[in-house]
Amino acid sequence: DAQVYDPPFAMLRSRTPTSAGMQGVIPTHAVRNSMEWKAKQDQVWKSVIHQNFAITSSSIWKVRAFLQSNMEDILKDALKGQCTKAEFTCKQSTKDSLQRLLAEVAANS
């Protein structure tokens, strides 16, 4: 059951902790430490992301550092935008999650 990594079209979507539908996107510690996960990450970076989008892992680390250094402001902005007319969903659980993450980021800055 070989997998094909030569699609006619490809799309790359970036996500932040404030994106909708983030449940389960951040892998658990056990998953990150598994050799299978590490091998898939290497394969995807080498055969899909760099090849199709010319994005290097070093450029991703730079973007990640930028987002981390601005995360408190990003989270504050996301909280302001919750439950406004422009926002389609309005869940208290989302607001609670953002507030917890904001408190954690603030405590660790």
Side-chain angles (χ1 to χ4, degrees), residues 5 10-13 40-57 59-60:
Y5 284 102
M11 173 180 77
L12 182 65
R13 183 175 186 185
K40 285 182 181 180
Q41 291 296 303
D42 288 342
Q43 181 182 20
V44 167
W45 275 104
K46 291 175 185 171
S47 65
V48 178
I49 296 175
H50 183 67
Q51 188 175 42
N52 290 296
F53 301 102
I55 297 173
T56 63
S57 57
S59 65
I60 292 297

Side-chain angles (χ1 to χ4, degrees), residues 78-92:
L79 274 166
K80 279 190 230 173
Q82 288 297 311
C83 301
T84 62
K85 289 182 181 180
E87 181 63 35
F88 295 110
T89 61
C90 181
K91 295 180 183 176
Q92 186 61 43

Side-chain angles (χ1 to χ4, degrees), residues 8-108:
F9 301 99
M11 173 180 77
L12 182 65
R13 183 175 186 185
S14 65
R15 307 294 286 188
T16 68
T18 61
S19 301
M22 287 301 293
Q23 184 176 356
V25 171
I26 299 173
T28 64
H29 183 70
V31 169
R32 286 193 311 270
N33 285 336
S34 76
M35 293 308 293
E36 181 183 1
W37 186 81
K38 289 177 182 179
K40 285 182 181 180
Q41 291 296 303
D42 288 342
Q43 181 182 20
V44 167
W45 275 104
K46 291 175 185 171
S47 65
V48 178
I49 296 175
H50 183 67
Q51 188 175 42
N52 290 296
F53 301 102
I55 297 173
T56 63
S57 57
S58 63
S59 65
I60 292 297
W61 282 105
K62 288 177 187 174
V63 170
R64 186 176 187 272
F66 175 81
L67 289 172
Q68 281 183 318
S69 67
N70 291 284
M71 190 55 64
E72 191 169 348
D73 290 332
I74 291 168
L75 291 166
K76 286 177 183 176
D77 189 59
L79 274 166
K80 279 190 230 173
Q82 288 297 311
C83 301
T84 62
K85 289 182 181 180
E87 181 63 35
F88 295 110
T89 61
C90 181
K91 295 180 183 176
Q92 186 61 43
S93 61
T94 300
K95 291 172 75 174
D96 293 344
S97 294
L98 288 171
Q99 193 61 54
R100 279 192 303 273
L101 188 54
L102 177 60
E104 185 178 324
V105 168
N108 292 310

